[in-house]
Amino acid sequence: MNLKKRDCGVKIKLKPLGAYYLSVHFDFYGNEISFEPSSAVGLQFGDFLCALYTLYRENGEGHSEWTPRKYHTENGTNHVIAVSTTIDWDNEGEIMTIEMTKHYEGGKINDLFFRITTDYGETYTEFSVNEKDFCYAVAKACTEVLKEYGFYGYRYSTEYDSFNLNHLIFIKAYALDCLEVREFKNTTNKHTSTGKTNFNKEIELLLFDM
């Protein structure tokens, strides 16, 4: 595969802190936001990755692993034009809610829209980012922290966050424009609902430094 690094205006840094905490630092084109979700009371970055993954469609249907999600329709119709997912992070003293929206149609299709609030309802910020930039930043953050800590080391150091590899491979493939790694091969058999992907390409993608 022809995988290429690129500069990205969105940056994310993950740092396990032990004792249930994970430091998450976002830099959205210079707009910086940090939070330390605790696994003792809630979710961490593995769930954030799942929520992001759920915004996308693949092979003619939507990913459905994460709830809640909200579908937005055209006025007076059932035609879906966008989908939103929401995740709550709790640091044992404050709750941060992150709502992400992806448009399927119209001029906003290349952007993700974010609304980040505290548990008091005070809006931290509301803005849009290029979706490829954001997926790149998420995949890069996950890759870097896994290469530093390892799968079990990361889980142990956050007590006990983890990344779904299928979610990570999709987000990384989408960010790097190599969705061919998700293509099904050798599916001409009587089990029409089965499909095989290229394991070697998936591992190559997973190991790629961004």
Side-chain angles (χ1 to χ4, degrees):
M1 293 187 294
N2 186 24
L3 303 175
K4 293 182 179 179
K5 298 181 183 180
R6 65 180 177 88
D7 292 329
C8 182
V10 181
K11 296 177 176 59
I12 302 172
K13 183 67 176 177
L14 306 177
K15 182 69 175 179
L17 303 176
Y20 306 107
Y21 287 101
L22 172 68
S23 171
V24 183
H25 182 79
F26 294 107
D27 183 343
F28 298 99
Y29 310 111
N31 183 7
E32 298 186 29
I33 301 170
S34 296
F35 201 71
E36 295 179 359
S38 168
S39 64
V41 290
L43 311 176
Q44 291 183 315
F45 205 77
D47 300 279
F48 183 92
L49 174 66
C50 182
L52 176 64
Y53 170 83
T54 305
L55 292 176
Y56 290 88
R57 293 171 171 173
E58 192 173 20
N59 293 312
E61 59 185 12
H63 300 153
S64 59
E65 282 89 334
W66 180 259
T67 55
R69 62 185 176 277
K70 176 182 178 182
Y71 293 101
H72 305 270
T73 59
E74 287 183 322
N75 292 336
T77 73
N78 292 323
H79 182 58
V80 175
I81 58 174
V83 62
S84 298
T85 59
T86 303
I87 184 167
D88 292 321
W89 280 342
D90 189 335
N91 71 354
E92 303 183 59
E94 184 180 26
I95 295 175
M96 176 182 283
T97 298
I98 303 174
E99 181 183 30
M100 297 179 281
T101 301
K102 174 175 169 53
H103 290 261
Y104 292 136
E105 298 179 4
K108 302 175 181 178
I109 196 168
N110 294 323
D111 289 333
L112 291 177
F113 289 79
F114 285 81
R115 177 180 291 129
I116 301 177
T117 60
T118 68
D119 52 343
Y120 302 108
E122 177 186 355
T123 299
Y124 267 170
T125 188
E126 190 172 27
F127 53 91
S128 64
V129 300
N130 179 275
E131 62 166 347
K132 284 288 181 73
D133 282 355
F134 189 72
C135 288
Y136 189 98
V138 168
K140 179 179 173 68
C142 293
T143 300
E144 288 178 344
V145 79
L146 285 175
K147 287 198 169 188
E148 182 176 357
Y149 287 87
F151 289 104
Y152 180 47
Y154 175 76
R155 180 171 174 79
Y156 177 83
S157 299
T158 55
E159 300 186 56
Y160 293 102
D161 193 30
S162 63
F163 306 134
N164 182 301
L165 289 185
N166 179 55
H167 299 169
L168 178 54
I169 288 170
F170 172 81
I171 294 298
K172 199 165 183 178
Y174 187 82
L176 292 169
D177 293 317
C178 61
L179 284 172
E180 65 270 17
V181 78
R182 306 283 289 180
E183 292 176 358
F184 293 129
K185 305 293 183 182
N186 304 319
T187 58
T188 54
N189 57 52
K190 64 180 180 180
H191 304 293
T192 57
S193 61
T194 66
K196 298 177 183 179
T197 51
N198 190 312
F199 179 73
N200 290 332
K201 287 185 177 180
E202 290 170 332
I203 295 301
E204 179 186 352
L205 176 63
L206 186 64
L207 292 174
F208 181 70
D209 288 319
M210 303 174 72

